[in-house]
Amino acid sequence: MRLDDSAIADRAVAVRSGTLLSALGVLAFSFTFPATVWALKGFEPWTATGLRSVLAALVAGACLRAFRVPLPRRDQWRGLAVVSLGCVLAFPILTTLALKTSSTAHSAVVIGLLPMATAVISSRLTGHRPSRRFWLAAAVGASAVVVFTVGQSGGGLSTADLFLFGALVLCAFGYAEGGRLAREMAGWHVIAWALVLALPVTVGFAVFGLVTEPLHVTGEGIAGLLYVALISQFGGFFAWYRGMAEIGVARASQLQLAQPLLTLVWAVLLLGEHLPAAAPVTALIVVACIVVTQRSRS
């Protein structure tokens, strides 16, 4: 086999491996909302969020120590603080509070805008100027979600909707900043250091919840809590970031388009939810708009 043929074959193996890893990451994250609903059967929102992030931080810290990962540079801590705020603190607590009163299907449609919101915020932070087609698709996708949300909430926005939109925006900032940092350090190092950095606050969440909220521990509650702590908050990022490293962010992000649709499936199969007709239709509109934004960014 010639050298060129060998290089092509190695690249093909890397693409297959990266695609599989990225798909596993998307699959892992698609269970987050159903697992959160299970966790809420045993723990109230502040307790569930605090314990989730504390457990994830302990595992992340152990991994950082085991692999002798050096401390981030001084100029990287500010970016890690943004990731902590958006991905470790705001998104988990706001979505958990929302899921206390909102259905998994409704929440999945709203949060389905996250990849597009991340692209918009990233373009603003980096000074990149996307095409008009990008902005048109972003506007259509956002409008579809707003119409869906208002329609499902009886003509207005519920408290759960406000929580979801807040989680969406703050997590998008965290994703955008995390994507920038991932060009300077290994992707899983970003989420690991963000978890460790947020530990004093998440311990406070856990203590506050345990003191003020009732506990009614169930098997489903424990299973849900362990899943969101070990997989959603940390473990899923191993496959996701490794996959992105092998096939590139653009190609991996196309796989992420399946996440809200998968969550809708799990809402029906695992939680027995009844999907309003507008949910899958809106999700498909959002997916189509995200495809356009991804292809228009350059």
Side-chain angles (χ1 to χ4, degrees):
M1 181 180 291
R2 293 181 305 170
L3 181 60
D4 289 346
D5 292 337
S6 177
I8 292 173
D10 290 343
R11 178 55 185 164
V13 170
V15 168
R16 287 195 295 269
S17 172
T19 300
L20 176 60
L21 287 169
S22 298
L24 287 175
V26 170
L27 180 63
F29 295 143
S30 72
F31 284 103
T32 297
F33 280 3
T36 301
V37 171
W38 284 343
L40 288 171
K41 293 184 178 181
F43 307 91
E44 294 298 312
W46 289 97
T47 305
T49 301
L51 292 178
R52 158 187 176 164
S53 297
V54 168
L55 288 173
L58 293 176
V59 174
C63 290
L64 290 170
R65 183 176 179 83
F67 288 100
R68 301 179 182 274
V69 177
L71 286 171
R73 302 192 311 266
R74 175 180 291 185
D75 63 300
Q76 293 173 328
W77 284 108
R78 178 182 175 278
L80 288 170
V82 174
V83 177
S84 290
L85 174 62
C87 302
V88 180
L89 299 175
F91 188 83
I93 186 57
L94 291 176
T95 55
T96 302
L97 288 169
L99 286 166
K100 189 69 177 173
T101 57
S102 177
S103 71
T104 302
H106 181 96
S107 302
V109 171
V110 176
I111 296 299
L113 277 176
L114 183 56
M116 185 156 49
T118 303
V120 171
I121 290 173
S122 178
S123 71
R124 304 305 296 176
L125 292 178
T126 60
H128 178 65
R129 310 187 79 171
S131 67
R132 290 182 180 179
R133 188 172 66 167
F134 172 95
W135 291 114
L136 178 60
V140 171
S143 298
V145 169
V146 170
V147 170
F148 169 82
T149 303
V150 171
Q152 293 294 306
S153 302
L157 294 178
S158 66
T159 301
D161 292 328
L162 296 178
F163 284 146
L164 290 169
F165 280 115
L168 170 68
V169 172
L170 291 172
C171 188
F173 274 102
Y175 273 12
E177 190 64 22
R180 184 188 68 80
L181 287 172
R183 295 195 295 266
E184 304 174 7
M185 63 174 74
W188 76 267
H189 294 179
V190 175
I191 190 62
W193 283 118
L195 283 163
V196 172
L197 182 61
L199 189 57
V201 180
T202 54
V203 167
F205 281 7
V207 171
F208 173 77
L210 290 169
V211 170
T212 62
E213 296 176 334
L215 280 177
H216 36 276
V217 178
T218 64
E220 281 186 328
I222 293 175
L225 179 66
L226 290 176
Y227 188 91
V228 293
L230 302 179
I231 306 300
S232 301
Q233 192 72 72
F234 185 54
F237 284 95
F238 275 79
W240 176 241
Y241 280 133
R242 179 62 182 272
M244 282 200 299
E246 292 190 7
I247 66 174
V249 175
R251 184 176 294 184
S253 66
Q254 298 302 310
L255 296 173
Q256 195 177 24
L257 302 181
Q259 188 169 321
L261 298 176
L262 285 172
T263 300
L264 291 180
V265 173
W266 309 143
V268 174
L269 296 181
L270 300 179
L271 304 177
E273 289 188 8
H274 174 71
L275 294 184
V281 173
T282 306
L284 287 171
I285 292 173
V286 170
V287 167
C289 291
I290 294 173
V291 169
V292 175
T293 61
Q294 292 291 340
R295 293 180 178 178
S296 304
R297 291 185 68 182
S298 59

